[in-house]
Amino acid sequence: MESTLMNLTPRTLFSIFATAEAITWAGLIAAIISRATGVADFVSTAGGLHGFVFLSYVAVTLFVWVNQQWKTSVGITGILLSVIPFATVPYEIYLKKLGLLTGSWRLAPGGETPRGFIEKVQAWVLRKPLLATAVLLGVIVVVYVALLLMGPPVPQN
């Protein structure tokens, strides 16, 4: 299983989450329209799913940013565009066109030697992808639950 995860390239990983982020935006927008028209109210479900995928997309963007050694502006733009409906997919296409998603995991076992704390963390993740995925999902769940406890971003009347 771990070798299967290692076959997932930065490009594929980013593409999966950029697409998922856009799809969950569509679900959230459809839920808002459905509630506004009185058809059904599934905003909580769609919003929750979108929030979880949003946090996951941000984590993946940070991970790929480190691997690809993007300029700060490229990484920050990727994160900021996640708050604009459907913007992650055109950004992914743009990054592919520029060649900023090419290659494999440079810090994987047998690859480059990590420099600094962040690269050492990424190298550990690439050596232990199942454990790292479990830890990351745990962190995302904790953040997600904390955000749920804080309430919706826009107060409801």
Side-chain angles (χ1 to χ4, degrees):
M1 177 87 168
E2 293 216 6
S3 63
T4 302
L5 291 172
M6 290 303 297
N7 292 333
L8 198 62
T9 65
R11 177 180 177 160
T12 303
L13 184 66
F14 190 82
S15 178
I16 289 167
F17 282 89
T19 302
E21 215 274 338
I23 290 168
T24 60
W25 258 121
L28 181 56
I29 291 168
I32 291 169
I33 291 169
S34 178
R35 178 174 67 186
T37 58
V39 173
D41 186 359
F42 56 98
V43 172
S44 293
T45 303
L49 180 60
H50 175 68
F52 188 81
V53 171
F54 164 79
L55 292 173
S56 299
Y57 168 82
V58 169
V60 165
T61 299
L62 290 168
F63 198 72
V64 172
W65 175 357
V66 169
N67 186 75
Q68 301 301 100
Q69 297 178 306
W70 290 340
K71 292 180 186 174
T72 302
S73 60
V74 173
I76 289 175
T77 300
I79 291 169
L80 291 177
L81 286 176
S82 65
V83 300
I84 300 170
F86 314 114
T88 55
V89 172
Y91 193 62
E92 174 216 353
I93 293 167
Y94 172 75
L95 292 175
K96 285 180 186 175
K97 184 177 178 182
L98 292 180
L100 295 176
L101 290 172
T102 59
S104 59
W105 301 108
R106 65 184 180 83
L107 299 170
E112 294 179 25
T113 302
R115 298 168 307 203
F117 176 75
I118 293 172
E119 286 193 357
K120 286 180 183 178
V121 169
Q122 184 164 51
W124 175 81
V125 168
L126 293 168
R127 281 192 317 272
K128 306 280 188 194
L130 291 177
L131 177 59
T133 299
V135 169
L136 181 60
L137 282 175
V139 169
I140 290 172
V141 166
V142 167
V143 170
Y144 176 72
V145 168
L147 291 171
L148 283 177
L149 293 173
M150 289 173 23
V154 178
Q156 299 200 352
N157 298 329

